[in-house]
Amino acid sequence: MKLYQKLKNRIDWNEPVELQLERLAEFDNITNEEIEELAQTCHKSTEAGILLEYLGHERLMPYLHLFLEFLQDMNWPAAGGASKMLTKAGKVIIPEIRRVFQEVNNDQIWHYWILLGIVQYFEKELILEMKADLIELILRADKDGASIQALRILKEKQILSSEEVENRYCYLLDKYSGDLYWTNDLNEEIKPVANKT
């Protein structure tokens, strides 16, 4: 039986992980080939997301980069479980997040989802490690939301001073000049600064 069908037959997406532990334990001996199948074919399966959350980042360590791809669209059913599992990976997933931010320049929406699905849930010390990466995202002033979310995270975790937040806000405001949608989004996400201008 293919892994996808087994997931559908054994996991109930209506129930939380805690209530399904006995059925999920059937996947404790999942093979590397099955994990690869999971990574390649199951991003549109809510059950796969539940299994990822159950298996955890330690069991899936060699494949974390593949499951980061599940966040290319947080509307994919497995993205939520992948997000929870990868957030718990913490420091371990940072190099792969960095790689995506640096090398995948044509997919800012993926950057946006990584910020919303993982980075914003990191503890302050992990975000401090990523400060330079987040500032680089701000400087790109993309129109998919990653720049604004990077600034919001740095502001909310109090990694930037009020003056630095204001300077980055003004930079983005200038870059989005004439684009009401992104100007409004910036103002909504960075309200205290926006109220000063």
Side-chain angles (χ1 to χ4, degrees):
M1 177 186 307
K2 288 278 190 195
L3 179 67
Y4 186 81
Q5 194 56 49
K6 188 176 176 184
L7 289 171
K8 291 280 187 198
N9 291 342
R10 299 303 300 146
I11 298 175
D12 184 350
W13 61 269
N14 286 307
E15 294 180 6
V17 171
E18 305 80 52
L19 296 179
Q20 301 190 70
L21 291 177
E22 190 174 307
R23 282 174 274 146
L24 284 164
E26 295 173 22
F27 295 91
D28 283 348
N29 296 319
I30 191 169
T31 66
N32 291 339
E33 291 77 22
E34 288 174 318
I35 293 172
E36 288 175 14
E37 179 188 342
L38 183 68
Q40 294 166 3
T41 64
C42 295
H43 61 281
K44 295 188 177 178
S45 162
T46 305
E47 294 85 3
I50 293 167
L51 181 60
L52 291 176
E53 189 179 352
Y54 168 76
L55 291 172
H57 69 279
E58 290 166 350
R59 172 66 178 93
L60 300 171
M61 191 69 69
Y63 307 96
L64 295 183
H65 66 287
L66 298 175
F67 294 113
L68 189 59
E69 292 178 12
F70 281 34
L71 275 75
Q72 287 178 319
D73 187 341
M74 282 299 286
N75 294 309
W76 287 340
S83 170
K84 290 175 185 171
M85 181 269 293
L86 291 168
T87 299
K88 289 178 182 169
K91 192 177 186 89
V92 172
I93 195 63
I94 289 177
E96 189 58 28
I97 291 172
R98 262 194 193 115
R99 186 195 66 75
V100 171
F101 287 169
Q102 292 168 2
E103 296 177 14
V104 186
N105 296 321
N106 62 343
D107 196 352
Q108 285 85 15
I109 196 69
W110 189 10
H111 302 168
Y112 171 83
W113 287 126
I114 289 171
L115 291 169
L116 288 186
I118 301 172
V119 177
Q120 75 173 344
Y121 298 112
F122 281 164
E123 296 296 322
K124 184 174 181 174
E125 61 271 8
L126 290 181
I127 295 175
L128 270 168
E129 272 189 51
M130 298 187 68
K131 179 180 176 181
D133 304 288
L134 298 182
I135 288 173
E136 177 59 35
L137 289 180
I138 294 167
L139 294 175
R140 292 179 188 172
D142 72 277
K143 291 192 175 179
D144 284 309
S147 297
I148 294 170
Q149 291 307 314
L151 180 56
R152 179 189 60 79
I153 291 167
L154 289 169
K155 176 185 174 287
E156 288 179 358
K157 297 290 184 173
Q158 299 177 338
I159 292 171
L160 296 180
S161 69
S162 296
E163 183 179 338
E164 288 174 307
V165 171
E166 185 166 1
N167 289 340
R168 301 295 180 188
Y169 165 80
C170 290
Y171 169 81
L172 288 175
L173 195 59
D174 181 57
K175 291 293 187 181
Y176 297 145
S177 177
D179 190 327
L180 194 58
Y181 178 85
W182 289 107
T183 302
N184 286 343
D185 193 47
L186 178 62
N187 287 329
E188 286 175 22
E189 293 293 341
I190 316 294
K191 282 182 182 173
V193 175
N195 291 336
K196 292 180 184 177
T197 61

